[in-house]
Amino acid sequence: MAGESLSGSDLITRYEAIVADFPVWSLEDGLGEDDTEGWQELTRRLGSRVQLVGDDNFVTDPALIREAIAAGIANAALIKVNQIGTVTETLEAMRLCREHGYAAQISHRSGETPDPFIADLAVATGCGQLKSGAPARGERVAKYNRLLEIAKARPELAYGPARGWEEG
């Protein structure tokens, strides 16, 4: 296993075995970002059983997400506001995901600050997923604390994937 080199198809077979034996529900960047055919195969073979999150191949770019949707790649996108550059582009990427049945997961970036904005964004868009890492450092804890503040102040808000959220 250690140091082993697998083809994309062999890696997908390995993922299938892992998913069959363990309660895996999400796989991020399962293949190389430029492996279009591999991603299509991964999506065909595992897309109905687990969340397949594109990160490096989508980079929160609405144009790339649109192309991936058309090509049948993945079923979810990692969303990083400062990766694409603007909140408008971020919301467009999330809108595309929602319209095409893809999940969206708001994520922090390396070098993150204690600003909890992404917690607010995750709740406001109803995406139901926030990736902020283990609560081991202040910048991560700030996001979780913000989620707790929102839940206390607005208990009527849905915190899982919302139904019917629309832009505007």
Side-chain angles (χ1 to χ4, degrees):
M1 293 252 198
E4 185 178 5
S5 181
L6 299 174
S7 70
S9 189
D10 289 340
L11 183 56
I12 295 167
T13 298
R14 174 84 44 95
Y15 290 150
E16 285 176 318
I18 292 168
V19 167
D21 292 342
F22 300 97
V24 175
W25 64 268
S26 188
L27 177 63
E28 181 180 321
D29 278 347
L31 295 167
E33 62 193 74
D34 296 323
D35 186 1
T36 300
E37 290 177 7
W39 269 96
Q40 289 169 326
E41 181 181 350
L42 177 64
T43 304
R44 279 191 306 274
R45 290 171 60 181
L46 281 173
S48 65
R49 292 189 276 169
V50 298
Q51 176 176 266
L52 301 172
V53 183
D55 177 13
D56 292 343
N57 54 345
F58 291 2
V59 294
T60 313
D61 185 329
L64 294 177
I65 293 171
R66 191 175 291 109
E67 289 174 15
I69 290 166
I73 293 173
N75 58 20
L78 200 66
I79 304 294
K80 301 175 186 173
V81 178
N82 63 352
Q83 187 174 48
I84 189 62
T86 69
V87 173
T88 301
E89 290 167 302
T90 300
L91 291 174
E92 174 64 10
M94 295 183 77
R95 184 190 62 75
L96 281 168
C97 288
R98 185 174 302 275
E99 285 180 1
H100 295 279
Y102 276 48
Q105 181 181 67
I106 303 291
S107 178
H108 68 154
R109 298 273 320 241
S110 49
E112 185 67 44
T113 72
D115 184 323
F117 171 73
I118 64 170
D120 289 272
L121 183 63
V123 173
T125 59
C127 74
Q129 298 184 69
L130 174 68
K131 177 183 173 184
S132 187
R137 298 195 313 249
E139 68 274 11
R140 295 173 178 186
V141 172
K143 277 76 169 170
Y144 297 118
N145 284 342
R146 180 62 185 141
L147 289 175
L148 291 171
E149 290 169 1
I150 295 168
K152 184 177 180 183
R154 300 290 306 275
E156 75 281 4
L157 291 175
Y159 292 94
R163 303 291 185 254
W165 173 81
E166 295 177 12
E167 188 176 326

